[in-house]
Amino acid sequence: GDSVTQTEGLVTLTKGLPVMLNCTYQTTYSPFLFWYVQHLNEAPKLLLKSSTDNKRTEHQGFYATLHKSSSSFHLQKSSVQLSDSALYFCALIEAGYQNFYFGKGTSLTVIP
Amino acid sequence: EAAVTQSPRNKVAVTGGKVTLSCNQTNNHNNMYWYRQDTGHGLRLIHYSYGAGSTEKGDIPDGYKASRPSQENFSLILELATPSQTSVYFCASGERTSYAEQFFGPGTRLTVL
């Protein structure tokens, strides 16, 4: 099966509402988890990352907590803005390895 | 800031032709990667490299070769291009640590007719 699963392909939200984008993973090694964001016609860029269990990490209003017990690293924001419209990728690297596993991505569209 | 450039930015090729996509990075990163991006599949790893002279197969290497002649340059080669290789290709570089961020180039849009 997939190493990284993002269950939502498309999410449409009204500006100001909260969002949670799901990410679960499979690995037998110690994981490093990442969220990348890709705006239209741009390259993916790192949004945030974590390897510490149960510690919240934040950047640009987005936050995520790595939960190793449930193999999850969901991305959240309390109030989405129009500029948050983008493609969001969850990614996993296993400790000691050099390649990444990307999820299929979630397209977030924020409407006025 | 990290700088990864790709050339060409757009390419139209014919079926059976040879295509070379080039990537240059000025970050002095050891690791470099080639991905393709297709709707519904996200980013898929084709080849990667740990340094000059090294290339490794990623998840979908069939139909692709890679070359890393120097620390700065990493090429992706399609010896016999097929329409199924129509896609957007991204190059990325990163340091050789498990927790390293990858820095992506602007992408190359390849169309194989």
Side-chain angles (χ1 to χ4, degrees), chain A residues 32 34 36 38 42-44 46 49-51 87 89 93-100 102-104, chain B residues 31 33 35 37 40-43 45 48 50 59 90 95-102 104-106:
Chain A
F32 296 87
F34 304 76
Y36 281 78
Q38 183 181 23
E42 295 184 8
L46 180 68
K49 62 180 182 179
S50 180
S51 63
L87 192 56
F89 292 102
I93 187 166
E94 298 164 335
Y97 290 82
Q98 299 298 319
N99 53 308
F100 272 46
F102 279 87
K104 293 181 179 179
Chain B
N31 290 5
Y33 308 81
Y35 296 90
Q37 183 175 31
H41 291 280
L43 287 161
L45 183 64
Y48 59 102
Y50 294 131
D59 299 327
F90 285 99
E95 295 179 359
R96 191 184 293 180
T97 64
S98 295
Y99 206 30
E101 173 183 358
Q102 287 191 9
F104 286 82

Side-chain angles (χ1 to χ4, degrees), chain A:
Chain A
D2 291 345
S3 295
V4 178
T5 301
Q6 295 181 245
T7 51
E8 309 96 357
L10 296 169
V11 173
T12 301
L13 284 173
T14 301
K15 175 184 172 183
L17 290 180
V19 66
M20 185 170 81
L21 306 183
N22 291 312
C23 174
T24 56
Y25 62 90
Q26 292 182 332
T27 181
T28 55
Y29 302 92
S30 183
F32 296 87
L33 273 296
F34 304 76
W35 276 101
Y36 281 78
V37 58
Q38 183 181 23
H39 288 94
L40 188 63
N41 295 324
E42 295 184 8
K45 293 181 182 179
L46 180 68
L47 181 57
L48 47 80
K49 62 180 182 179
S50 180
S51 63
T52 305
D53 199 11
N54 297 318
K55 182 180 178 181
R56 174 166 155 161
T57 182
E58 301 186 33
H59 186 62
Q60 296 182 339
F62 287 90
Y63 58 95
T65 303
L66 176 59
H67 292 295
K68 293 184 180 180
S69 60
S70 58
S71 299
S72 68
F73 190 56
H74 306 319
L75 182 68
Q76 297 179 266
K77 190 175 186 183
S78 58
S79 174
V80 294
Q81 304 302 309
L82 297 176
S83 58
D84 294 328
S85 294
L87 192 56
Y88 292 82
F89 292 102
C90 183
L92 160 74
I93 187 166
E94 298 164 335
Y97 290 82
Q98 299 298 319
N99 53 308
F100 272 46
Y101 300 100
F102 279 87
K104 293 181 179 179
T106 297
S107 178
L108 173 64
T109 300
V110 181
I111 58 176

Side-chain angles (χ1 to χ4, degrees), chain B residues 76-95:
Chain B
L76 186 68
I77 302 148
L78 291 66
E79 294 278 3
L80 295 170
T82 68
S84 65
Q85 294 174 313
T86 293
S87 186
V88 179
Y89 291 86
F90 285 99
C91 175
S93 75
E95 295 179 359

Side-chain angles (χ1 to χ4, degrees), chain B residues 35-58:
Chain B
Y35 296 90
R36 62 178 286 175
Q37 183 175 31
D38 304 285
T39 303
H41 291 280
L43 287 161
R44 293 183 289 175
L45 183 64
I46 306 170
H47 284 287
Y48 59 102
S49 168
Y50 294 131
S54 111
T55 60
E56 306 289 337
K57 293 181 180 180

